[in-house]
């Protein structure tokens, strides 16, 4: 970005320098910043960020067409960078719309669908975007591919050890990667490693609500496992089944311990334990 900006500042009339700067800015995930550099109408870009699904894509396509008309109309007077920059703005708007759509798919639990959209974005404009990599990692977690999620987190942390989102992704991947049976003491030891990653995240950003929520959730899981272990040791199979059923049917926002349904592999262990209790 630094070299691109320097080249553009040396020759503000250079469309090539401006395009390089816009693409470099977008590559890091700053789509609003890239659109601002183009200096064109961004009102629909804001609308796209609030929309979802096909409506987002239609809105972005419409804005892209309007941008091309706007630039074509002003190109003769030199106010904008011509058709090439209009096309670039259309690409940016489409990327912003697709990123919003991927987030909606991720929140809705369509991990494969979200991952497909995110991969396409990574192969095009968002080629160096940490927030995109984090979301891809969450897709991998949802699909049960913990090693890929761990790799994504490690890649981001090599680049920036203070990346809070990457630390949280690593914590979730560490939790999901635990192979120890929940009846054993080593399970709790390994949960401690995940909690350590969360503590690191909170050291860098003490007000990070998602980190605090994840910490409460993992502590809640630990408390639950202790209760399950006690019920199992005492032969209280019905109590054990009730505890596990409560966890597996908990709504995402319920519970003072942070709420949220368990991650896939932990959920699988809970289902297995519930079957044993029955």
């Amino acid at each position: 970005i630094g070299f691109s900006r320097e080249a553009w500042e040396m020759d503000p009339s250079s469309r090539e320098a401006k395009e390089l700067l816009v693409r470099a800015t977008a590559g890091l995930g700053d789509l609003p910043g890239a659109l601002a550099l183009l200096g064109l109408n961004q009102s629909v870009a804001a609308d796209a960020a609030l929309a979802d699904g096909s409506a987002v894509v239609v809105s972005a396509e419409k804005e892209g067409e309007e941008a091309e008309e706007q630039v074509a109309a002003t190109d003769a007077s030199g106010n904008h960078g011509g058709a090439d920059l209009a096309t670039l703005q259309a690409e940016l708007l489409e990327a912003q719309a697709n990123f919003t759509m991927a987030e909606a798919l991720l929140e809705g639990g369509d991990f494969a669908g979200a991952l497909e959209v995110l991969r396409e974005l990574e192969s095009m404009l968002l080629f160096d975007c940490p927030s995109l990599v984090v979301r891809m990692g969450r897709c991998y977690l949802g699909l049960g591919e913990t090693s890929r999620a761990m790799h994504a987190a490690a890649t981001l942390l090599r680049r920036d050890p203070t990346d809070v989102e990457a630390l949280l992704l690593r914590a979730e991947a560490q939790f999901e990667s635990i192979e120890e049976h929940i009846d054993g003491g080593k399970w709790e030891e390994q949960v401690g490693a995940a909690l350590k990653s969360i503590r690191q995240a909170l050291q860098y950003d003490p007000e990070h609500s998602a980190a605090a929520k994840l910490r409460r959730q993992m502590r809640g899981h630990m408390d639950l496992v202790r209760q399950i272990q006690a019920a199992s040791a005492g032969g209280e199979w019905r109590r054990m089944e009730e505890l596990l059923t409560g966890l597996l049917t908990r709504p995402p926002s319920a519970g003072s311990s942070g709420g949220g349904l368990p991650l896939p592999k932990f959920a699988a262990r809970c289902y297995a334990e519930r079957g044993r209790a029955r």
Side-chain angles (χ1 to χ4, degrees):
I1 288 180
F3 290 120
S4 301
R5 185 175 293 279
E6 184 178 351
W8 184 42
E9 288 174 350
M10 290 176 64
D11 184 4
S13 65
S14 171
R15 283 188 291 180
E16 292 80 4
K18 187 172 187 178
E19 181 177 351
L20 283 173
L21 178 58
V22 170
R23 288 190 179 279
T25 303
L28 291 172
D30 186 6
L31 292 172
L35 286 164
L37 285 167
L38 289 174
L40 298 176
N41 179 20
Q42 297 182 61
S43 60
V44 179
D47 294 339
L50 299 175
D52 57 29
S54 60
V56 175
V57 179
V58 171
S59 177
E61 290 175 348
K62 181 179 179 182
E63 176 66 6
E65 293 170 1
E66 292 175 356
E68 290 176 1
E69 293 173 0
Q70 182 182 354
V71 174
T74 56
D75 186 35
S77 61
N79 291 336
H80 297 306
D84 289 344
L85 293 182
T87 301
L88 177 56
Q89 193 208 28
E91 291 176 15
L92 291 169
L93 288 165
E94 184 178 2
Q96 190 172 52
N98 286 338
F99 192 86
T100 302
M101 182 170 62
E103 287 193 311
L105 291 170
L106 180 56
E107 289 298 317
D110 185 356
F111 305 113
L115 185 59
E116 182 179 354
V117 177
L118 292 169
R119 280 174 170 166
E120 184 176 355
L121 286 169
E122 186 185 37
S123 69
M124 299 173 69
L125 280 175
L126 305 186
F127 55 86
D128 193 24
C129 176
S131 62
L132 182 141
V133 176
V134 166
R135 284 160 177 77
M136 289 178 69
R138 299 204 181 285
C139 289
Y140 290 134
L141 277 177
L143 294 169
E145 300 181 33
T146 54
S147 60
R148 287 191 171 188
M150 189 73 81
H151 177 73
T155 299
L156 291 171
L157 290 169
R158 280 195 296 271
R159 172 176 172 167
D160 178 8
T162 70
D163 187 331
V164 171
E165 296 297 329
L167 285 166
L168 296 182
L169 176 62
R170 184 176 72 180
E172 291 186 86
Q174 287 171 320
F175 183 80
E176 276 287 83
S177 299
I178 298 173
E179 298 292 340
E180 301 295 336
H181 196 277
I182 62 174
D183 269 356
K186 289 187 177 181
W187 181 87
E188 189 166 325
E189 289 179 14
Q190 297 201 16
V191 176
L195 284 169
K196 181 179 178 181
S197 292
I198 299 173
R199 284 196 298 272
Q200 285 181 286
L202 286 168
Q203 285 175 356
Y204 294 124
D205 186 356
E207 304 301 320
H208 199 284
S209 59
K213 180 178 179 180
L214 184 59
R215 181 173 60 180
R216 289 194 303 270
Q217 185 180 23
M218 286 198 184
R219 285 177 173 173
H221 289 339
M222 288 180 71
D223 290 341
L224 179 70
V225 167
R226 289 179 187 135
Q227 294 178 57
I228 292 169
Q229 290 172 344
S232 176
E236 300 177 48
W237 308 116
R238 185 175 296 277
R239 171 63 175 159
M240 184 176 172
E241 181 183 350
E242 288 173 354
L243 289 167
L244 289 162
T245 299
L247 173 67
L248 293 166
T249 58
R250 178 185 299 168
S253 60
S256 60
S257 63
L261 296 174
L263 291 165
K265 288 190 175 181
F266 180 62
R269 295 190 190 98
C270 291
Y271 276 114
E273 284 300 309
R274 187 172 68 171
R276 186 167 70 92
R278 287 176 173 174

